[in-house]
Amino acid sequence: MANQWIEACRADDIEAEDVIRFDHGGRTYAIYRSPDDAFFATDGLCTHEEAHLADGLVMDNIIECPKHNGRFDYRTGEAKGAPVCVNLATYPVKVEAGKVMIQIAG
Amino acid sequence: MDRGLVIVGAGECGGRAALGLRDLGHKGAITLVGEERHPPYERPPLSKDALSGADEPGPKLVAETKVYEERQIRFIAGAQASAIDRKERMVWLADGTRLAYDKLLLTTGARPRRLAIPGAESDRCVYLRAFEEAMRLRHEFRPGRKIAIVGGGFIGLELAASATKRGAAVTVLEALPRILSRGVPGEIADIVAARHRAAGVELICGSGIAGLKGADGAIQVTLADGRSIGADLAVIGVGAVPETRLGEAAGLAIDNGIAVDERLATSDPDIFAAGDCCSFPLAIYGGRRVRLESWRNALDQGALAARNMLGAAEPISAVPWFWSDQFDLTLQVAGLADMGRHVVRRDIGDGGCIQFHLDDDGVLMAASGIAKGAAVARDIRVAEMLIARKARPDTVHLADPGHKLKSMLVEPR
């Protein structure tokens, strides 16, 4: 199936250096706004144990899982050390007319 | 260094240390010795998801067996270390194997405290530490079964929640007047107790166990006040004792665990200890000596021990942190609540709350939170950072759920 762009939220729904949860098509995503106002998207669940990353703390470019403090760079999905060792999937993001769009498999 | 590095104890802490040594670029021999047949695995799920999940799980490994092979870490499973010869710098295993070391790390963990009362030796009276014990409980926790849990601490209550989820009828027996009296404020313990009662768990507090009597595949628990509770199985969760026997026999200093300094070194500079088995001075509390039985501590100290075995001489800087999941509730605590003299309460809605524990000078010492799901996680994490900085947060802001706690990390004091 072709990839498609879908609206996840409005840009001003997310504060700088923060994250919100976005559910679509039976999957859950995390949408981030970095301290320098760039937007990013990853899978919404931690790769260690099932926990919504949107409940976690964003510090600079790192999202920390709310359950066991696994850390990822949300720009690349890279796992940043114990207890996480599996990277997060990331998704392309663009902002159009104040809307945050993410590209996912159609 | 050419004799090698030896780690005795293959739990989370030992496993993280072994992997950490390679991450740090150590090229020499690393040997990891464990009593269990599994490579290091995470214990927290044993009282939670491993029991209540739909499918029977395997142990949740810190790393697959092949990772130890690939990284040339010699893992010796099912082995008991029987003695340390400090003069020769040698560890003896029970089968006669000798392992020479330059540096030795003891990550021997803790073992369940045994009930020293008549009848406790019954095969209907069980403990939880290892994966196989969890799988036995998983089989025992089923509809129609009655489970008596002795001890209203974290293990006992997590087991009560898991057994209830699996359809068993559960009674929790706590000798003290309330559950979770070690380290958890009364208000939060009350929220936990109410959640258990709402799920049908019977909580009996304020009476110790006088005796146990197993017969015909069942067990009878007699309380000090004369009451008697019949069950199919009694699970004992009355705390843990540090596994110090190896270190003690070798003459290492012991003080509620193998005593280590702020760098995790024991009284022998070539031997380190880390995790549940050791007591250490906590710098953020003026060097107060503590021993922590928590997963995060095991993980952090495993990594720190690896750095210090290679000469980093880095002091312990972590703030204690632990969590517990029971039913839909998650409790998280940063710091040690008993360091506080004053409480500031933040209501976070939907029955959840956070208590901030401050000393007489207004310095944040600890924060205890409980709520459904992960609703306290961000604030407890921020609190942990404030505790590490010895911050004196504005108490009006602390109490105000509309004030973003994270903003305090950048506010001037």
Side-chain angles (χ1 to χ4, degrees), chain A residues 17 48 54 56 58 64 69, chain B residues 42 296 332 378 381 406:
Chain A
E17 200 181 40
H48 174 240
V58 177
E64 196 174 273
N69 317 114
Chain B
E42 299 187 8
R296 165 91 84 87
Q332 292 188 354
R378 282 185 189 200
R381 182 70 181 94
K406 189 176 166 188

Side-chain angles (χ1 to χ4, degrees), chain B residues 22-40:
Chain B
R22 282 285 181 252
D23 287 341
L24 292 164
H26 180 68
K27 299 279 192 287
I30 301 171
T31 304
L32 175 63
V33 180
E35 290 189 358
E36 295 184 54
R37 64 186 174 89
H38 309 288

Side-chain angles (χ1 to χ4, degrees), chain B residues 1-304:
Chain B
M1 296 206 292
D2 52 8
R3 296 162 66 87
L5 303 177
V6 174
I7 302 169
V8 174
E12 179 90 39
C13 190
R16 293 288 176 195
L19 296 165
L21 287 166
R22 282 285 181 252
D23 287 341
L24 292 164
H26 180 68
K27 299 279 192 287
I30 301 171
T31 304
L32 175 63
V33 180
E35 290 189 358
E36 295 184 54
R37 64 186 174 89
H38 309 288
Y41 60 88
E42 299 187 8
R43 291 190 200 278
L46 299 186
S47 50
K48 309 185 216 16
D49 292 352
L51 298 178
S52 58
D55 302 318
E56 179 150 336
K60 188 170 167 56
L61 300 179
V62 168
E64 297 293 329
T65 306
K66 69 174 185 337
V67 172
Y68 298 91
E69 291 162 11
E70 286 163 5
R71 309 198 72 187
Q72 293 184 298
I73 295 166
R74 180 184 177 199
F75 171 54
I76 306 178
Q80 179 115 33
S82 54
I84 302 167
D85 182 336
R86 289 167 51 190
K87 192 158 161 286
E88 298 294 327
R89 285 187 293 153
M90 197 85 79
V91 174
W92 287 78
L93 304 187
D95 68 0
T97 304
R98 290 183 299 168
L99 302 168
Y101 65 82
D102 291 302
K103 301 286 179 195
L104 170 65
L105 173 62
L106 300 176
T107 49
T108 43
R111 59 180 189 272
R113 179 175 286 121
R114 301 275 152 177
L115 266 190
I117 58 171
E121 65 288 349
S122 161
D123 68 349
R124 303 310 299 167
C125 179
V126 298
Y127 297 82
L128 174 62
R129 183 76 187 173
F131 176 75
E132 284 72 17
E133 291 161 337
M135 291 304 97
R136 176 176 174 188
L137 293 181
R138 191 180 158 89
H139 173 74
E140 298 271 4
F141 292 173
R142 57 182 196 260
R145 284 295 178 119
K146 181 144 192 241
I147 309 296
I149 293 175
V150 177
F154 288 111
I155 289 283
L157 292 165
E158 288 177 2
L159 288 173
S162 296
T164 303
K165 280 188 201 167
R166 290 187 66 79
V170 178
T171 300
V172 175
L173 305 166
E174 168 57 53
L176 295 172
R178 69 163 171 95
I179 59 166
L180 296 175
S181 41
R182 199 178 67 150
V184 176
E187 181 195 8
I188 289 175
D190 288 346
I191 293 170
V192 175
R195 183 67 188 84
H196 277 265
R197 291 198 169 106
V201 175
E202 184 183 21
L203 297 178
I204 300 176
C205 295
S207 188
I209 309 295
L212 295 154
K213 195 169 191 308
D216 304 326
I219 191 155
Q220 200 73 27
V221 185
T222 307
L223 301 183
D225 66 10
R227 274 182 287 183
S228 183
I229 287 101
D232 296 297
L233 188 74
V235 191
I236 315 300
V238 293
V241 291
E243 185 50 86
T244 59
R245 287 175 289 198
L246 187 63
E248 202 167 354
L252 298 179
I254 306 290
D255 180 1
N256 178 34
I258 301 167
V260 297
D261 66 13
E262 70 284 355
R263 300 173 301 110
L264 296 173
T266 67
S267 52
D268 179 330
D270 291 326
I271 305 179
F272 293 78
D276 290 16
C277 71
C278 79
S279 71
F280 60 96
L282 201 49
I284 54 159
Y285 297 146
R288 172 180 168 185
R289 182 162 287 275
V290 298
R291 189 175 66 79
L292 300 178
E293 294 161 2
S294 80
W295 172 82
R296 165 91 84 87
N297 183 60
L299 196 147
D300 286 348
Q301 289 196 346
L304 179 63

Side-chain angles (χ1 to χ4, degrees), chain A residues 12-35:
Chain A
D12 52 15
D13 289 341
I14 320 178
E15 292 179 38
E17 200 181 40
D18 209 345
V19 57
I20 65 167
R21 172 177 165 181
F22 171 61
D23 291 350
H24 179 81
R27 291 183 63 92
T28 185
Y29 304 90
I31 317 292
Y32 308 83
R33 183 173 185 163
S34 71

